[in-house]
Amino acid sequence: MQARVIEEFGEPAVFETREIETPEPGPGEVRIAVAASSVNPVDYKIRRGDLPPFAPEFPAVLGCDVAGTVDAVGDGVTAFEPGDEVYGMPGGVTGSPGALAEYMVADAEAIAPAPESLSLTEAAALPVVALTAWEMLIDRASVDSEDDVLVYGGSGGVGHVGVQIVSAAGARVVATGSTEEKREIAKELGADATVDYTETSVEEYVESHTDGAGFDVVFDPIGDDHLQTAFEAVRPYGRVVTTESSSTQELEAMHLNALSLDVVLVILPILRDAWHARLGEELREIADLVDDGDLAPLLDERRHGFSEVEEAHRRLEEGDALGKIVLENDL
Ligand SMILES: NC(=O)c1ccc[n+]([C@@H]2O[C@H](COP(=O)([O-])OP(=O)(O)OC[C@H]3O[C@@H](n4cnc5c(N)ncnc54)[C@H](OP(=O)(O)O)[C@@H]3O)[C@@H](O)[C@H]2O)c1
């Protein structure tokens, strides 16, 4: 089969097209004829060599998100049969080749039927960002309708799903955005209010949106400075959930306000080849949310083929995208 592979870490130009062996599904696995993928920061961080623990063997097929059609099933698989449309995040890291190829093998427990109301291209935008936001808000923060939730990066990949999940839970959501356009998008997705964090101090927005009490939950898919302000924006006994803890932070604010901090690593089941069922179960719940009209992926207006993955990576790295960049299989 044809695949876009990398033989070394580096700039986007390291991608090349190669003929590689078509994978066979083992016991408990399915083979997916790939229709589409999407680009996530994890993909370009792996390509650059920034995440050694996630780095796949060379030649490496990257691409964590996938949507496509089941093409063959391995022994013991009963949940899927050839022809089923599925989506998920079953590879693209150490030990599990990714989606930038004609075919990809997935653990059957890690994937789910694609949402019926989306095309496969649209469905490919969701797995990584939606599984991340779901784990942060539902599994960890247990958001409910009583909560006031602050979502950083409300128009970003993880953030735009976060806004919609909080809104669907009936909680009040305040979303940040660095531009008027981004704040407008967050409002259209369900934010009750927005904050320009580039112009407004944390004290000011805590005062204006919570009467100075602090948010019940702060959702941080960015890290660095945002994580430090999260500790200041949350109320005593509040919950902070983040995707990024690779920076050095002062934890005294956590201590003085008895805060809880949860760190999510959504790809862990794939890295450890364990706990696959939690991914499949959550993808089914996410598909229900989509088909009920409570969640929709925000897509960047430009479409790229797998043959243009270099350009797609460059655009996401440079912040030149509004919404998810999807990649359609043109191999
Ligand atoms: N640990 C995990 O399991 C996990 C899972 C998924 C993602 N992540 C990580 O979470 C982060 C966000 O992922 P994503 O898919 O949401 O990315 P994204 O689509 O690029 O969105 C990032 C958002 O962050 C905000 N931002 C703030 N400072 C930024 C900066 N210096 N550069 C770029 N954006 C900045 C931007 O909004 P404003 O301009 O409005 O600030 C942007 O919308 C990435 O670092 C990713 O690797 C981790």
Side-chain angles (χ1 to χ4, degrees):
M1 68 171 180
Q2 297 283 307
R4 301 304 316 275
V5 303
I6 64 168
E7 273 285 7
E8 58 178 329
F9 299 124
E11 297 296 310
V14 293
F15 280 107
E16 52 185 279
T17 303
R18 277 269 191 94
E19 183 82 23
I20 61 171
E21 205 170 319
T22 304
E24 291 298 326
E29 294 179 335
V30 304
R31 184 170 64 202
I32 301 167
V34 178
S37 183
S38 80
V39 193
N40 292 286
V42 68
D43 300 314
Y44 67 67
K45 291 177 187 176
I46 291 174
R47 189 211 73 227
R48 294 196 301 221
D50 291 352
L51 299 174
F54 299 11
E57 307 74 25
F58 296 127
V61 182
L62 306 188
C64 294
D65 278 332
V66 71
T69 306
V70 172
D71 156 80
V73 300
D75 287 347
V77 174
T78 54
F80 297 103
E81 56 186 44
D84 288 347
E85 293 194 335
V86 294
Y87 77 139
M89 180 200 65
V93 292
T94 318
S96 304
L100 297 180
E102 289 182 79
Y103 298 95
M104 173 182 195
V105 158
D107 188 294
E109 290 193 337
I111 59 170
E116 287 175 10
S117 54
L118 298 182
S119 68
L120 287 174
T121 299
E122 292 167 324
L126 280 176
V128 169
V129 293
L131 284 166
T132 304
W134 186 277
E135 183 170 346
M136 293 168 80
L137 291 163
I138 307 297
D139 293 349
R140 307 298 188 92
S142 307
V143 165
D144 66 31
S145 59
E146 303 294 306
D147 287 326
D148 267 344
V149 184
L150 177 65
V151 173
Y152 287 132
S155 67
V158 179
H160 89 281
V161 178
V163 168
Q164 295 177 81
I165 290 177
V166 176
S167 182
R172 184 167 162 274
V173 53
V174 176
T176 72
S178 62
T179 66
E180 183 63 42
E181 190 181 15
K182 289 181 173 185
R183 293 191 291 277
E184 249 340 285
I185 287 171
K187 268 197 190 148
E188 282 164 19
L189 294 173
D192 297 285
T194 60
V195 167
D196 177 0
Y197 69 92
T198 67
E199 295 284 343
T200 320
S201 73
V202 61
E203 294 81 9
E204 285 171 324
Y205 63 74
V206 165
E207 184 59 41
S208 53
H209 293 292
T210 70
D211 290 330
F215 292 88
D216 299 300
V217 175
V218 179
F219 173 94
D220 168 35
I222 298 159
D224 294 325
D225 294 349
H226 288 79
L227 188 50
Q228 199 55 241
T229 57
F231 298 150
E232 295 164 29
V234 75
R235 67 163 168 76
Y237 298 103
R239 292 152 277 164
V240 175
V241 277
T242 187
T243 57
E244 288 298 312
S245 62
S246 50
S247 56
T248 301
Q249 301 294 335
E250 176 56 66
L251 296 185
E252 192 181 14
M254 284 192 67
H255 189 182
L256 293 178
N257 280 309
L259 305 180
S260 68
L261 172 65
D262 267 284
V263 184
V264 165
L265 181 57
V266 75
I267 204 88
L268 194 60
I270 307 304
L271 286 170
R272 294 286 182 85
D273 195 18
W275 318 298
H276 291 117
R278 67 177 288 154
L279 299 178
E281 284 159 17
E282 292 183 0
L283 285 165
R284 282 174 170 77
E285 303 221 42
I286 289 162
D288 287 345
L289 210 57
V290 171
D291 290 335
D292 287 347
D294 290 326
L295 172 62
L298 174 70
L299 301 191
D300 182 76
E301 59 186 20
R302 280 184 62 192
R303 297 292 156 87
H304 299 271
F306 285 6
S307 58
E308 300 167 319
V309 64
E310 298 88 340
E311 168 74 353
H313 270 222
R314 193 173 293 114
R315 291 187 57 223
L316 190 66
E317 282 176 279
E318 290 174 359
D320 174 31
L322 200 50
K324 293 281 302 175
I325 299 182
V326 289
L327 292 164
E328 293 172 321
N329 186 359
D330 60 354
L331 295 176

